[in-house]
Amino acid sequence: AKHGTIPASLESGSTSVRARAPQWVARLIGEGEPAIEELLTLSPTADRIHLRNLIRRVQQSSGPRRQRAEAVLSRAIESLLR
């Protein structure tokens, strides 16, 4: 997929929310603001500041704390995409 477009696997209704969340976690951590913007187009009511804080927590953590932070971010994304 081109940069700046949502891959079909993230957009498709055929893929479960639980399956899409880890893909979004990876994109949000790796791409930052462009991925946040795309997620906000899919879920306009999402809290941008809260998302940024969750992403920052993942980026600043390591080991078990990072895994927990990623799980929290993943759950937040799941709730946005439902």
Side-chain angles (χ1 to χ4, degrees), residues 10 20-28 35 38-39 42 77 81:
L10 295 179
R20 288 183 292 163
Q23 295 170 326
W24 273 108
V25 168
R27 285 203 58 205
L28 290 166
E38 287 189 38
L39 185 57
L42 295 175
I77 293 167
L81 297 178

Side-chain angles (χ1 to χ4, degrees), residues 22-78:
Q23 295 170 326
W24 273 108
V25 168
R27 285 203 58 205
L28 290 166
I29 294 167
E31 296 176 25
E33 196 59 36
I36 292 171
E37 291 298 325
E38 287 189 38
L39 185 57
L40 290 173
T41 62
L42 295 175
S43 183
T45 59
D47 182 344
R48 177 189 308 265
I49 294 169
H50 183 61
L51 274 174
R52 281 190 186 134
N53 288 337
L54 292 174
I55 294 164
R56 190 175 305 115
R57 192 170 303 145
V58 171
Q59 292 170 331
Q60 293 176 349
S61 300
S62 62
R65 284 182 180 222
R66 182 179 176 104
Q67 290 174 335
R68 283 193 300 273
E70 286 179 0
V72 170
L73 178 57
S74 185
R75 284 192 299 273
I77 293 167
E78 287 175 17

